[in-house]
Amino acid sequence: MPAVLPGKPQPTLQAISTGRWSGRRIVAYISGQALTILCGPDIICQTIYHDGSEPLQAVAFDETSGKVATCSERGIYIYKPNGQARDGFKWSQQHCIRADEDESSLATLSWGTAEELLVGSSSLRISSTTDSPATIWKRKLANPVKYALFSHDATLIASTGQYDRLLKIWRRLSFDVNDSTFDFAYLPHPMSITNVYWQRSSHPERSINDVLYTICADNVLRIWAASDPHNLQILDMWTKIDLQESIKPRLYQPGSLSTKRYAFIIDSDDFILATEQAVQGSGGDDRENHAIDHLLEVANRTPEVCVVLDEDGRMSAWGIEDPGSKSRKTAQVFNIAHIDAVKVLFHQEVKEQASYMRIYCFVSDLAGTGFTLLVHHFDGRIEWWETQADALFDPSPRRKRLQLMGVWSGHGSSLKKIVRSVSGKAVVSRTDLSEAVLWRQRSDSNHSRLVMRSIFPQSQKIHRICVVDEGDIVVLLHQGSISVWNTKGTNAMKIASQSFTLDGKPLCLILLPEVTAKTDVFHMAVISSEMKGLACEICITSPSDLRDTANGESEPAVISEFCRFDLGSERDLAFMIPVDPAGSIPTISGFLDVFARDVVTSFNTAGVLRSWTAKVDVDHRRVQWLLTSAVNTGIDNPSLVSGSSIRKAALVDSQKTKLTIWDTREAQLEFAKVFEDMIRDLDWTSTPDNQSVLAVGFAHHVFLFSQLRYDYLDAGPAWGIIRDIRIGDLTPHPIGDSVWLSHGDLLVGAGNQLFVYDRKMEIEDNFVTDLRLSAKQPLSKTLFSIVTRLNGQLPVFHPQFLSQCMLQGKMLLAQRILVSLQKRLKFHSEGDEIDTFLDIPIDDFLQRDEERFNPARKEMHSSYADFIEEEPEDDVLTETLAASLNEKLTTILIPQLSGREQFHLADIVECLATAEKHRRSMDDNASRFLVFFRQYILRKSQRRLNSSSISWREITWAFHSDSQEILVDMVSRQYHGQQMQWEHARESGMFMWLKDVSAVRAQFEIIARNHYTRTDEKNPIDCSLYYLALRKKNILIGLWRMAAWNPEQRSTQKFLGNNFQDTRWKTAALKNAYALLGRHRYEYAAAFFLLADSLKDAINTCVNQLDDLQLGITIARVYEGDDGPVLRDLLETHVLPMAAAEGNRWLATWTFWMLNRRDMAVRALVSPLDTLLPQQINSTHNNPLQSKFYLTDDPALVIAYRQLREKTLQTLRGATQVSQRTEWDFLIHHARLYDRMGCDLLALDLVRNWEFLYQPAPALRTKQHATGAKEKLKRSENPFEDEDENEDDGTGEMMITPDPRKLLRRRSSLVVADLPTPMHISSPITSPRRTSSSSAAAAARMAGMGAKDSNSYHMMAAAIEEGEEGQGGGGGEGRGTSGKSKKDLTFEEPSAESLLDSFGY
């Protein structure tokens, strides 16, 4: 249960009522318009809010029926318990009784017998509450009552008015419901009566004497008892105790005597029960035995006990033996104890009217607990104290007699806002009535609680709050002014104020970060809706005088205007809010840069989120601002925004149901979810190592979200729910605000109540699987430890780390890790720890695979390896070793892995062993594909996948593999002898990664044949689309000829026999296709579109109706080849915009490669996809949230970029168009991704071993060349046509791209000379395709030389120079273009002889 602050108790005489019912102690008290029912110091049973604005005045609990009655000034509310004890009782309203018009404000309530309720106001009224409320008796009074109480048997009523010295005793003469009569008598007192108490019994069925205790202003306790039932004087004074004289200090000091006395009565039944508990729990030392002996001596006399306290902590206890006894002639009052060290909390600084205190005593339900004291301070708090009877009444000195178990306090009205200090150890809560209270956090190893520290006077309306210096200083923003408050005292004191004027509405109050943390000077900033700001400097002239300020003795603060600033103009500004400090100190380094912590977040209605940091320049009296990030979220008119100082932001849309979490540093969307309930609040905190936690508040519950490791292989979520805090059972009021305290404690405010949820928590079972936690590990931990478990560095044998190693090409390292793990598990016993690194040196993780080759390993990878028989190496994962390791994984629980992760690890072991078996016949890209395709098949068989095909990442690896024939064979084997169907081909992406069109057609024909034979009836409809795409209509006609069972055979066979080159039959085929579309037979409709030679319509049917992009692309490749216009149009107008919309870089790079734009294929891995699309296509592309999702990034992109950029001259040219700064950002970004994934070693390896391309000096610029290039671009009809590789820099001059061949440095570099034929040379650096005869001849000569003897780049440059000479100048148009056909200039895939290395050999 959370620590609770149930609300500020009302300062009335009947604000608390307690009793024992159904085996448990019930405490009910009122706060504002709320009734709170509790069963312990931190156990709230229920909170009930009544309608209306009137505060409650009194509460009464009936121990017989369990009913609770409350009253406001004009209404009485009766609540009846429902349910059973084991499930917990809940109270619901039974009756609502309105006050009569002739009655004044209702003031008192008291329960009698038979569910009768006594109500006191300007009259006394007894009402029955059994079925329907009815008035039994009513009597008008001369003075409104202050007290009106039933005796234990309801035969007597004691009532008195405000400031009355006469107590009226009403004696009930008749209990008839229809005719209740009373007579009365007066009990005179010398001064006004301050307290009235009837003797009670813990056994209501037992008859006891009517004994009444009264206290009046003369500090004398008077005891009244019935002497003769027939006497006119109903009660007589039995005895009295002088409370003032009952406490005397042991050492007299002038001026130290306290005049205030607080007294309460302990009934004899409770005293005896507490004594029995003390005896049962007594120890064996002498002091304890002496105390027990003294207690037993007192208990043997069965006294009522009167306990008297003063404000200095002194206490005296008096025993009243057998009060009201008729057999005794003299009253027996004896002293039990006189003690000087009972420290009940008294606030010395409260006002006189708030210093009143009422004490309620009862015996706790828990065995061995003893007495419980409820102390109601009228300054707005209730304290729950517990003590043992022997400890309380022990005459010998004791250090600690009472233990404080809880303090109930809070607000009197609904909370609106809670603001924390930077550390979270102090918070200020504010209500809608501008009632503000400062709270301090008190924590120990067991729990955390809040203590009220200071109360702000309700003088001005508070707009914004800033808590400074752990709560000792609080700055408030009012309308047109700022005030500074000292909060070291119980009542906050204003120590400085400053008026100001500012354009626009003030939106936020910010504590500016300082270069060095100071306690005497700090700076505040106010920013308006017009982005104008004012900075104020607050100087604490003497911090040590703040305590004196609390007493009103000095004014040690000065506030002055520091400077004004302007953050620019922003249209439709919606929010300007301070970021959640997330535990960071308000300091900044000496530099103002993007690495500084954010201080404020702005958001406009168009969906642009901006983060700002600031630095105070004291020397120049200015505040420097820096925009650290700007993210276009695409969310219009957000309802909630919250930013964190460590570059996280959470947004809620205008409907208040969709939550998005952003990384503002990388402009990435990390999480998006739509909830059924409306979101009301967002709050950030972070662990000491900067791992973020977000609290998302709804009406009656709070979700705690923790960031998770990125998981690109399984597309796992980046955020997960680790805790669900629900307050619906505690209060019906919706949550007003929540805020994080220090160490991961959460403070939730609802209504006028505060709930402190401790950092200790247990993850529920339904969250274990989602969070990828081990179910065998203990889940009862602190919040921060669980968040650290979910993040941080992974063990090297984790499936994600191994997968990323394989993607990086570190196959040997992955095998070594698994072999080392197998050796560990071979001799593993339960309880043994497994090292995170498996004792592998860190340097081994940072080596390249080629550096890891030993001579024997190189020989194994050579072409002669098949003829050498050697013993298996120690670090090779053979199939036998993999089987042994998987057997261990099924029986041994690895502590660092969850059950799901161990399943994934077993899959990786099997896949890596398969790849190792075939490594001699496959390149690295084929191995990557095979490993992850095999893993896909395994997970599909285990039903752990939702996708229908492998990702475009694996397709891209296979597409760039030179072992595609082997991959086709391997893919076919994965289906265990099943005939390859289209579903299987789509799963593997086969027709996307096969580069040879003839191989595509051959495999497609196999698919067609398998679709025909997959059923016993052999239906030709199943294969029609495939054979018509292959243009093999005659085969289809033959199949229809054999389908005699099909009713459509005759008509279809006759229809297929027509000549579809004829317009008539082509139109007929189109009509049939549209008819089939209407019948939702989409695949058959696509076949008829192909019959009509309408390839575009067939592809649109596959893509739009069948939602099968792969099928559409495959049909286009089979029908017209890779250079067909329909395929090109599909890739340009559909696939590329879809890739940009999804942010799918793998799909984009594959598409550009298919379009023969290999330079763009490389750039698509690095540059934003929107910038690569032509304007006419990009203009129709909306940028949704999906394109910004974090899964659109993939650390494997950097591996693909490093591989592809040196593959051909075109890709080298594309790499040169990526600036060094862009490549640097790209590299650092992916290093951060590795870090977020828990693969810190791979991040270090990436930045350590990365090689940047050599960038030559800036190229030449010529306006003459620029003019010609611009004209060519204007004439270009194809947006993707590569007319000129040179680019205009916007100044009218053309930037000439450097020769990519000059970037090669490594001897191992091997590239394909695939640049388009140069047509115009204006500099020593080549320009792409021109249609001049001289350049064509030069290209032909260059290609011929390359085919003969693989000439060096120097020879290629000579050929280009020869082309220059034949052209006759640098700027003229080409001559003799009619001599060559366009087909001669078409680029073809180079042969093996045209491969050139860095040095031309």
Side-chain angles (χ1 to χ4, degrees):
M1 292 294 293
V4 296
L5 293 170
K8 181 180 180 180
Q10 293 291 94
T12 60
L13 295 173
Q14 268 192 280
I16 303 178
S17 182
T18 180
R20 184 177 178 82
W21 177 75
S22 188
R24 65 175 63 185
R25 172 62 57 173
I26 303 296
V27 179
Y29 85 94
I30 53 176
S31 172
Q33 293 89 27
L35 165 66
T36 304
I37 303 174
L38 303 99
C39 300
D42 289 329
I43 304 176
I44 292 185
C45 298
Q46 191 177 359
T47 302
I48 302 173
Y49 288 85
H50 84 276
D51 299 332
S53 59
E54 297 178 354
L56 298 177
Q57 300 296 323
V59 61
F61 177 75
D62 185 14
E63 291 185 301
T64 303
S65 64
K67 289 184 177 182
V68 180
T70 64
C71 71
S72 62
E73 291 183 352
R74 305 304 302 168
I76 305 167
Y77 308 92
I78 311 298
Y79 299 96
K80 182 179 180 180
N82 301 303
Q84 298 180 356
R86 64 176 181 272
D87 300 324
F89 291 98
K90 295 297 179 182
W91 280 259
S92 60
Q93 183 172 313
Q94 182 187 22
H95 303 302
C96 178
I97 306 172
R98 303 304 300 175
D100 296 337
E101 294 182 358
D102 59 345
E103 292 180 327
S104 63
S105 299
L106 304 179
T108 66
L109 298 171
S110 180
W111 286 100
T113 58
E115 300 183 21
E116 294 178 348
L117 181 66
L118 173 65
V119 182
S121 59
S122 59
S123 61
L124 285 180
R125 176 172 55 172
I126 299 177
S127 298
S128 174
T129 64
T130 51
D131 295 325
S132 58
T135 300
I136 299 175
W137 174 80
K138 182 178 179 181
R139 179 64 59 89
K140 188 73 174 176
L141 301 177
N143 190 19
V145 297
K146 177 181 178 181
Y147 290 101
L149 300 175
F150 269 125
S151 63
H152 74 100
D153 56 359
T155 58
L156 300 178
I157 297 175
S159 69
T160 183
Q162 193 76 269
Y163 308 115
D164 276 358
R165 68 178 189 85
L166 295 177
L167 183 68
K168 185 178 289 187
I169 302 298
W170 303 81
R171 180 167 53 190
R172 195 166 190 170
L173 303 178
S174 171
F175 280 86
D176 188 358
V177 174
N178 298 321
D179 184 19
S180 294
T181 57
F182 287 82
D183 66 349
F184 64 89
Y186 290 103
L187 301 182
H189 291 73
M191 302 181 71
S192 60
I193 301 169
T194 59
N195 198 1
V196 177
Y197 179 80
W198 285 103
Q199 181 184 9
R200 296 281 175 178
S201 173
S202 58
H203 305 283
E205 69 279 0
R206 190 176 67 187
S207 176
I208 62 174
N209 297 327
D210 291 323
V211 178
L212 178 67
Y213 301 89
T214 63
I215 302 175
C216 65
D218 61 352
N219 277 341
V220 174
L221 172 69
R222 292 173 173 83
I223 305 172
W224 309 81
S227 58
D228 184 0
H230 303 289
N231 193 352
L232 294 178
Q233 188 67 22
I234 302 174
L235 296 177
D236 296 318
M237 182 183 294
W238 193 74
T239 188
K240 63 182 178 179
I241 301 174
D242 191 337
L243 304 181
Q244 187 69 36
E245 296 296 326
S246 65
I247 296 180
K248 292 293 185 181
R250 298 182 186 274
L251 296 177
Y252 175 75
Q253 296 178 357
S256 64
L257 293 179
S258 172
T259 59
K260 294 182 180 178
R261 296 293 183 267
Y262 307 94
F264 62 93
I265 303 297
I266 301 177
D267 295 318
S268 60
D269 290 345
D270 287 345
F271 185 80
I272 293 173
L273 179 59
T275 301
E276 293 175 355
Q277 293 183 359
V279 171
Q280 293 173 1
S282 63
D285 60 87
D286 296 339
R287 187 185 66 178
E288 293 294 336
N289 289 336
H290 177 72
I292 292 295
D293 292 342
H294 174 69
L295 194 62
L296 289 174
E297 182 182 354
V298 174
N300 288 332
R301 303 174 70 173
T302 62
E304 302 279 314
V305 179
C306 173
V307 181
V308 186
L309 298 169
D310 70 356
E311 56 189 344
D312 295 327
R314 289 183 286 263
M315 183 191 85
S316 67
W318 301 85
I320 307 168
E321 188 176 357
D322 200 9
S325 174
K326 299 179 177 58
S327 61
R328 289 183 180 270
K329 298 293 181 77
T330 59
Q332 295 293 328
V333 177
F334 60 94
N335 181 261
I336 297 175
H338 189 96
I339 301 166
D340 289 338
V342 179
K343 296 294 184 183
V344 181
L345 296 181
F346 294 93
H347 284 178
Q348 302 297 332
E349 305 164 15
V350 298
K351 299 179 181 179
E352 181 66 25
Q353 60 269 25
S355 64
Y356 188 73
M357 183 176 71
R358 286 178 64 87
I359 302 175
Y360 304 82
C361 181
F362 56 87
V363 178
S364 177
D365 298 328
L366 300 178
T369 304
F371 290 116
T372 296
L373 302 182
L374 289 180
V375 183
H376 176 203
H377 299 269
F378 276 44
D379 61 356
R381 57 199 169 96
I382 298 173
E383 295 168 351
W384 181 298
W385 297 85
E386 290 185 356
T387 180
Q388 288 285 350
D390 56 334
L392 181 62
F393 299 114
D394 186 3
S396 60
R398 279 180 179 259
R399 177 173 296 181
K400 190 174 182 180
R401 297 177 183 269
L402 299 173
Q403 183 178 4
L404 181 63
M405 305 303 296
V407 179
W408 298 341
S409 185
H411 289 275
S413 56
S414 297
L415 280 165
K416 185 176 183 181
K417 186 66 178 176
I418 307 175
V419 180
R420 59 172 277 182
S421 64
V422 172
S423 65
K425 295 181 179 179
V427 296
V428 174
S429 56
R430 174 171 62 93
T431 67
D432 48 8
L433 301 177
S434 290
E435 175 193 0
V437 177
L438 175 73
W439 308 86
R440 289 285 182 86
Q441 183 186 19
R442 296 287 183 264
S443 299
D444 54 33
S445 59
N446 295 323
H447 64 280
S448 178
R449 58 189 177 92
L450 283 185
V451 176
M452 181 186 293
R453 185 66 186 88
S454 189
I455 302 174
F456 293 82
Q458 295 177 257
S459 55
Q460 288 179 279
K461 184 175 182 181
I462 302 173
H463 293 284
R464 298 291 184 269
I465 302 173
C466 184
V467 185
V468 185
D469 193 21
E470 303 300 340
D472 290 339
I473 298 294
V474 175
V475 182
L476 304 181
L477 175 64
H478 309 283
Q479 183 66 36
S481 67
I482 299 176
S483 60
V484 184
W485 296 76
N486 172 23
T487 57
K488 286 193 172 183
T490 304
N491 296 309
M493 299 291 295
K494 183 191 294 186
I495 56 177
S497 63
Q498 175 73 36
S499 300
F500 69 89
T501 57
L502 201 60
D503 294 340
K505 178 183 177 182
L507 295 180
C508 64
L509 178 66
I510 306 168
L511 176 63
L512 295 175
E514 309 284 348
V515 176
T516 58
K518 301 179 181 179
T519 59
D520 56 345
V521 178
F522 53 93
H523 297 82
M524 307 295 301
V526 181
I527 304 177
S528 71
S529 58
E530 301 294 330
M531 302 291 285
K532 303 297 189 294
L534 166 71
C536 294
E537 184 177 68
I538 301 175
C539 300
I540 307 299
T541 57
S542 179
S544 61
D545 291 341
L546 287 178
R547 175 62 64 180
D548 297 333
T549 307
N551 300 323
E553 298 178 5
S554 64
E555 294 184 2
V558 175
I559 181 171
S560 61
E561 182 175 321
F562 183 72
C563 70
R564 291 180 180 263
F565 53 86
D566 189 351
L567 295 180
S569 59
E570 184 172 355
R571 297 180 58 188
D572 302 326
L573 182 66
F575 291 96
M576 176 70 74
I577 56 175
V579 299
D580 281 339
S584 61
I585 58 176
T587 58
I588 189 173
S589 64
F591 302 97
L592 184 66
D593 49 32
V594 294
F595 298 103
R597 299 262 177 153
D598 291 340
V599 297
V600 68
T601 297
S602 66
F603 200 92
N604 61 18
T605 57
V608 179
L609 176 70
R610 291 182 173 87
S611 299
W612 306 77
T613 187
K615 176 186 175 184
V616 178
D617 187 353
V618 178
D619 296 335
H620 298 87
R621 293 193 65 83
R622 63 176 180 174
V623 178
Q624 296 174 284
W625 291 88
L626 177 65
L627 179 65
T628 57
S629 64
V631 183
N632 185 5
T633 63
I635 301 175
D636 297 333
N637 301 313
S639 58
L640 284 176
V641 178
S642 180
S644 169
S645 59
I646 53 177
R647 306 293 170 79
K648 300 292 182 183
L651 283 78
V652 179
D653 66 349
S654 58
Q655 302 299 320
K656 297 185 179 182
T657 56
K658 184 175 183 179
L659 170 69
T660 56
I661 302 177
W662 296 79
D663 182 349
T664 58
R665 183 194 301 273
E666 305 292 347
Q668 277 186 336
L669 174 64
E670 294 188 339
F671 182 80
K673 185 177 179 63
V674 178
F675 298 93
E676 295 180 358
D677 300 330
M678 294 177 61
I679 302 172
R680 304 170 67 95
D681 187 41
L682 301 170
D683 293 285
W684 287 100
T685 190
S686 66
T687 63
D689 49 354
N690 286 343
Q691 293 159 352
S692 298
V693 186
L694 175 65
V696 181
F698 298 86
H700 299 287
H701 66 102
V702 179
F703 281 145
L704 301 188
F705 282 87
S706 168
Q707 73 175 42
L708 307 176
R709 298 185 189 97
Y710 283 169
D711 184 4
Y712 289 98
L713 300 177
D714 296 330
W719 291 80
I721 299 175
I722 60 175
R723 191 175 184 183
D724 183 7
I725 296 175
R726 296 190 173 270
I727 67 169
D729 293 337
L730 305 178
T731 174
H733 203 286
I735 294 175
D737 196 10
S738 61
V739 73
W740 288 100
L741 303 176
S742 63
H743 308 298
D745 299 331
L746 182 68
L747 176 62
V748 179
N752 61 342
Q753 298 176 334
L754 294 169
F755 305 90
V756 181
Y757 285 88
D758 197 77
R759 73 207 72 162
K760 292 184 178 180
M761 53 175 285
E762 294 183 4
I763 295 185
E764 299 177 12
D765 293 339
N766 57 329
F767 294 150
V768 172
T769 303
D770 297 337
L771 297 177
R772 307 187 288 273
L773 285 173
S774 173
K776 300 296 183 181
Q777 289 184 333
L779 300 180
S780 179
K781 299 181 179 180
T782 64
L783 173 68
F784 285 172
S785 65
I786 291 175
V787 173
T788 302
R789 166 70 177 87
L790 296 172
N791 296 274
Q793 186 174 344
L794 291 171
V796 296
F797 48 84
H798 193 279
Q800 177 152 271
F801 187 89
L802 291 170
S803 299
Q804 294 301 326
C805 284
M806 292 185 287
L807 286 175
Q808 279 200 2
K810 297 178 179 291
M811 296 289 185
L812 302 182
L813 175 61
Q815 292 187 48
R816 181 180 177 184
I817 292 171
L818 293 177
V819 171
S820 300
L821 180 63
Q822 193 273 341
K823 293 178 181 178
R824 284 297 185 92
L825 297 182
K826 186 176 181 180
F827 304 101
H828 179 81
S829 59
E830 186 176 356
D832 292 349
E833 294 185 359
I834 300 178
D835 182 61
T836 300
F837 299 101
L838 297 176
D839 296 329
I840 301 175
I842 299 298
D843 291 339
D844 290 3
F845 293 95
L846 307 180
Q847 292 180 355
R848 297 174 180 268
D849 259 11
E850 55 266 24
E851 298 173 357
R852 194 174 288 107
F853 277 121
N854 52 40
R857 186 76 183 183
K858 289 184 178 180
E859 188 176 354
M860 288 296 294
H861 276 260
S862 68
S863 59
Y864 301 100
D866 294 335
F867 306 100
I868 301 175
E869 294 183 0
E870 295 185 357
E871 294 297 327
E873 297 180 70
D874 292 339
D875 291 343
V876 175
L877 185 69
T878 62
E879 290 186 331
T880 304
L881 199 62
S884 174
L885 178 56
N886 277 348
E887 182 180 356
K888 295 293 184 182
L889 291 176
T890 58
T891 58
I892 298 176
L893 177 66
I894 300 179
Q896 293 96 325
L897 301 180
S898 66
R900 176 186 291 183
E901 289 167 348
Q902 284 202 208
F903 275 117
H904 288 186
L905 180 59
D907 294 345
I908 289 177
V909 171
E910 182 177 345
C911 296
L912 195 57
T914 304
E916 171 62 22
K917 179 181 178 181
H918 301 280
R919 62 177 168 80
R920 302 180 189 176
S921 56
M922 294 187 300
D923 57 11
D924 288 343
N925 286 335
S927 297
R928 290 185 179 102
F929 171 81
L930 181 60
V931 167
F932 290 100
F933 175 67
R934 175 65 178 161
Q935 193 170 347
Y936 170 85
I937 294 299
L938 288 175
R939 295 188 183 183
K940 179 187 175 185
S941 64
Q942 298 163 1
R943 296 182 179 180
R944 289 187 281 138
L945 279 179
N946 296 324
S947 59
S948 60
S949 66
I950 60 174
S951 68
W952 282 95
R953 176 185 58 218
E954 280 67 60
I955 291 175
T956 304
W957 295 130
F959 182 70
H960 292 292
S961 171
D962 295 328
S963 310
Q964 292 189 346
E965 294 181 0
I966 300 174
L967 287 182
V968 171
D969 181 60
M970 295 296 298
V971 167
S972 302
R973 292 183 183 180
Q974 294 299 323
Y975 294 102
H976 307 290
Q978 298 181 24
Q979 291 184 339
M980 177 71 73
Q981 307 290 333
W982 169 251
E983 292 78 11
H984 303 149
R986 181 176 57 204
E987 282 182 350
S988 64
M990 177 187 298
F991 294 103
M992 300 299 100
W993 48 260
L994 277 174
K995 290 184 287 190
D996 187 1
V997 177
S998 61
V1000 171
R1001 293 193 175 105
Q1003 293 297 323
F1004 202 70
E1005 187 167 2
I1006 295 175
I1007 297 293
R1009 185 163 54 249
N1010 293 340
H1011 270 261
Y1012 175 69
T1013 59
R1014 66 180 177 180
T1015 59
D1016 294 337
E1017 59 185 11
K1018 297 182 179 179
N1019 193 344
I1021 296 178
D1022 296 340
C1023 61
S1024 297
L1025 176 61
Y1026 304 96
Y1027 278 117
L1028 291 177
L1030 291 164
R1031 298 179 183 269
K1032 295 186 177 182
K1033 186 182 71 171
N1034 293 331
I1035 295 179
L1036 186 61
I1037 293 175
L1039 297 178
W1040 273 107
R1041 187 178 296 116
M1042 294 184 291
W1045 56 270
N1046 195 317
E1048 300 178 4
Q1049 181 207 23
R1050 182 183 300 271
S1051 58
T1052 305
Q1053 184 179 352
K1054 181 179 179 181
F1055 184 77
L1056 291 176
N1058 297 306
N1059 180 15
F1060 288 94
Q1061 299 298 324
D1062 190 354
T1063 305
R1064 171 192 173 188
W1065 295 111
K1066 184 178 294 187
T1067 303
L1070 289 175
K1071 289 182 178 179
N1072 279 278
Y1074 287 120
L1076 290 169
L1077 284 178
R1079 298 177 184 177
H1080 303 288
R1081 299 176 65 181
Y1082 300 124
E1083 185 175 319
Y1084 205 28
F1088 273 85
F1089 279 126
L1090 292 178
L1091 194 62
D1093 198 27
S1094 181
L1095 176 61
K1096 187 171 183 179
D1097 290 332
I1099 291 177
N1100 288 338
T1101 302
C1102 295
V1103 173
N1104 298 326
Q1105 272 70 38
L1106 292 175
D1107 194 21
D1108 196 338
L1109 177 63
Q1110 286 195 34
L1111 182 60
I1113 295 175
T1114 304
I1115 290 175
R1117 296 186 69 187
V1118 170
Y1119 195 84
E1120 63 175 7
D1122 287 348
D1123 299 325
V1126 177
L1127 176 62
R1128 188 179 190 88
D1129 179 72
L1130 174 65
L1131 296 178
E1132 292 174 356
T1133 62
H1134 182 83
V1135 180
L1136 276 179
M1138 182 179 71
E1142 298 176 354
N1144 193 335
R1145 295 182 181 273
W1146 297 104
L1147 177 58
T1149 187
W1150 177 89
T1151 305
F1152 279 122
W1153 200 282
M1154 289 292 295
L1155 290 170
N1156 289 325
R1157 290 304 309 271
R1158 300 181 180 182
D1159 56 336
M1160 301 287 281
V1162 173
R1163 294 176 61 188
L1165 296 171
V1166 181
S1167 303
L1169 297 181
D1170 289 341
T1171 62
L1172 304 180
L1173 294 183
Q1175 186 62 36
Q1176 56 266 42
I1177 293 180
N1178 196 22
S1179 61
T1180 61
H1181 161 59
N1182 295 325
N1183 194 20
L1185 293 179
Q1186 187 177 1
S1187 64
K1188 298 180 181 296
F1189 200 48
Y1190 85 98
L1191 287 176
T1192 59
D1193 273 329
D1194 191 337
L1197 289 169
V1198 74
I1199 310 302
Y1201 173 72
R1202 180 166 58 188
Q1203 179 186 124
L1204 295 184
R1205 69 178 180 179
E1206 299 178 2
K1207 195 174 184 67
T1208 73
L1209 293 181
Q1210 270 201 64
T1211 58
L1212 275 171
R1213 188 185 69 179
T1216 61
Q1217 295 174 355
V1218 178
S1219 67
Q1220 286 186 336
R1221 179 65 186 180
T1222 302
E1223 186 174 348
W1224 168 266
D1225 293 339
F1226 177 71
L1227 179 68
I1228 297 302
H1229 171 67
H1230 283 81
R1232 289 196 186 103
L1233 295 184
Y1234 277 126
D1235 180 67
R1236 179 69 186 272
M1237 294 170 65
C1239 304
D1240 304 59
L1241 292 175
L1242 298 182
L1244 179 59
D1245 172 72
L1246 180 65
V1247 298
R1248 177 181 179 182
N1249 297 321
W1250 184 263
E1251 292 183 358
F1252 291 91
L1253 286 178
Y1254 168 73
Q1255 292 286 355
L1260 303 177
R1261 303 174 184 267
T1262 61
K1263 288 191 176 182
Q1264 184 180 10
H1265 186 93
T1267 304
K1270 287 181 178 179
E1271 291 178 357
K1272 293 290 288 182
L1273 290 174
K1274 290 179 181 179
R1275 293 196 301 268
S1276 176
E1277 297 180 357
N1278 190 343
F1280 291 95
E1281 189 68 34
D1282 187 14
E1283 289 290 347
D1284 201 327
E1285 64 185 275
N1286 304 318
E1287 299 179 354
D1288 184 5
D1289 65 354
T1291 62
E1293 297 182 354
M1294 187 61 66
M1295 186 74 179
I1296 302 177
T1297 307
D1299 187 350
R1301 295 168 299 178
K1302 302 194 182 289
L1303 303 177
L1304 299 174
R1305 294 181 297 175
R1306 298 177 59 86
R1307 180 176 294 274
S1308 61
S1309 299
L1310 189 67
V1311 298
V1312 177
D1314 64 342
L1315 279 177
T1317 305
M1319 304 184 316
H1320 169 67
I1321 303 298
S1322 59
S1323 71
I1325 302 176
T1326 60
S1327 299
R1329 295 195 292 263
R1330 299 282 183 176
T1331 56
S1332 62
S1333 59
S1334 58
S1335 60
R1341 288 194 295 273
M1342 181 176 65
M1345 289 184 289
K1348 292 177 182 178
D1349 54 4
S1350 301
N1351 289 327
S1352 67
Y1353 283 123
H1354 301 289
M1355 299 180 66
M1356 294 178 63
I1360 294 174
E1361 291 174 0
E1362 185 178 346
E1364 277 186 321
E1365 295 172 359
Q1367 207 169 28
E1373 294 292 332
R1375 299 190 300 268
T1377 57
S1378 60
K1380 297 287 183 180
S1381 66
K1382 185 175 181 180
K1383 183 177 180 180
D1384 295 333
L1385 299 178
T1386 304
F1387 169 74
E1388 296 182 358
E1389 186 73 24
S1391 63
E1393 290 81 1
S1394 66
L1395 297 175
L1396 304 175
D1397 66 9
S1398 305
F1399 300 93
Y1401 298 109

